[in-house]
Amino acid sequence: MDSAADSPRPSTLLAHDTLVMQQVTGFMSNDFDILDAAGERAVGHVTTTGSGVARFFSGARSLDVADADGTPLLHVEDPRGIGFDRFELSAPDGTPVAELRSRFSVFSTKVGMTLADGAELELHGDMLGLDYEFRYNEAVAARAAREWAGLSRGFLGHSRYVLGFDPTVPPPLRLAIVGGCIVLDLIRAKRSRSSN
C-alpha cells in the first residue's frame, strides 16, 4: 500500500472553484499570475516560453502553466498554420491533453475543444471577448469574465479574467479549461494585433 508521501501532491491551482487570472506582462509575452478568488494569493502562474525573436514577430505562441510552487501542470502551444486558429494542450511529459480549434462565427467567439479521450467541449463567448462559457455535455462547466484590471494595468493592456468552475468539474477537466482560458486570451490578442 502506498503511503501518503508516495502519492502525488494535489494541485492547489485545481482545488479552487474560482480563479483570478491577472496578466503581468504584455509585450512579447503573455504571462499571468493565477490568484485565489479574492485576487490576493497566487495559486499558479502562466509563463511564456520560446525565443524572443519568434515572440517579437508572431506574439506568444508557447506557454506553460504551473502550480504556485512551480510544479508544471500544462503546456499550451499555438502551432503555425493557415486558416482557423488551432491550439494544442499537453501534459509536462508531452502527453496530449486537448486540441482546440476556432470556429467560424459572425457575432461571437466559438472554439471547439477535443479532449484526449475524445470528449468535446465548446467555448462560447461574445464578440468583444469579455464573457465566455465552457460547455460540456450540454452543461456549463465554467464561466470566464474579463474584468477591468485597474488603471495602470489597463493602460498597459493587461487582461484580467475571473474563471468560475462548477464545483463538480474534476481536476483534469479544470486544467483543460484553464488552458482554454489562455487560448481565448491568445485569440483576443491576435485579433487586437490584426486590427491595429
Side-chain angles (χ1 to χ4, degrees), residues 180-191:
C181 195
I182 295 165
V183 163
L184 290 170
D185 189 68
L186 292 174
I187 291 171
R188 181 204 57 77
K190 280 184 179 182
R191 288 179 179 170

Side-chain angles (χ1 to χ4, degrees), residues 145-170:
R146 191 162 177 230
E147 292 190 341
W148 175 244
L151 187 59
S152 62
R153 290 183 186 273
F155 181 72
L156 294 171
H158 293 176
S159 300
R160 179 183 179 102
Y161 297 92
V162 175
L163 178 60
F165 297 100
D166 179 298
T168 63
V169 173

Side-chain angles (χ1 to χ4, degrees), residues 9-106:
R9 183 191 56 78
S11 165
T12 57
L13 173 69
L14 303 177
H16 293 266
D17 290 335
T18 302
L19 298 172
V20 176
M21 300 181 66
Q22 175 64 61
Q23 189 175 19
V24 292
T25 61
F27 181 69
M28 290 183 31
S29 63
N30 206 30
D31 296 355
F32 282 83
D33 279 338
I34 304 176
L35 310 169
D36 62 9
E40 296 174 359
R41 185 173 58 89
V43 295
H45 304 282
V46 178
T47 307
T48 307
T49 60
S51 77
V53 172
R55 284 186 269 157
F56 180 78
F57 288 106
S58 57
R61 301 184 79 91
S62 179
L63 302 103
D64 288 330
V65 179
D67 223 336
D69 66 1
T71 303
L73 299 174
L74 186 71
H75 179 72
V76 179
E77 188 72 31
D78 177 7
R80 297 192 188 287
I82 298 173
F84 290 114
D85 287 322
R86 184 176 68 85
F87 302 86
E88 298 169 352
L89 307 182
S90 59
D93 66 0
T95 305
V97 171
E99 182 175 285
L100 295 92
R101 288 185 183 273
S102 62
R103 296 181 176 161
F104 177 76
S105 180
V106 178

Side-chain angles (χ1 to χ4, degrees), residues 101-177:
R101 288 185 183 273
S102 62
R103 296 181 176 161
F104 177 76
S105 180
V106 178
F107 296 111
S108 64
T109 301
K110 288 188 179 180
V111 177
M113 177 188 290
T114 304
L115 301 175
D117 65 4
E120 298 276 337
L121 265 85
E122 291 185 344
L123 290 60
H124 293 265
D126 61 30
M127 65 186 219
L128 299 176
L130 301 177
D131 295 297
Y132 297 98
E133 288 185 346
F134 295 79
R135 299 178 188 164
Y136 181 69
N137 291 335
E138 303 301 318
V140 176
R143 287 187 168 89
R146 191 162 177 230
E147 292 190 341
W148 175 244
L151 187 59
S152 62
R153 290 183 186 273
F155 181 72
L156 294 171
H158 293 176
S159 300
R160 179 183 179 102
Y161 297 92
V162 175
L163 178 60
F165 297 100
D166 179 298
T168 63
V169 173
L173 184 53
R174 288 177 186 233
L175 186 58
I177 290 170

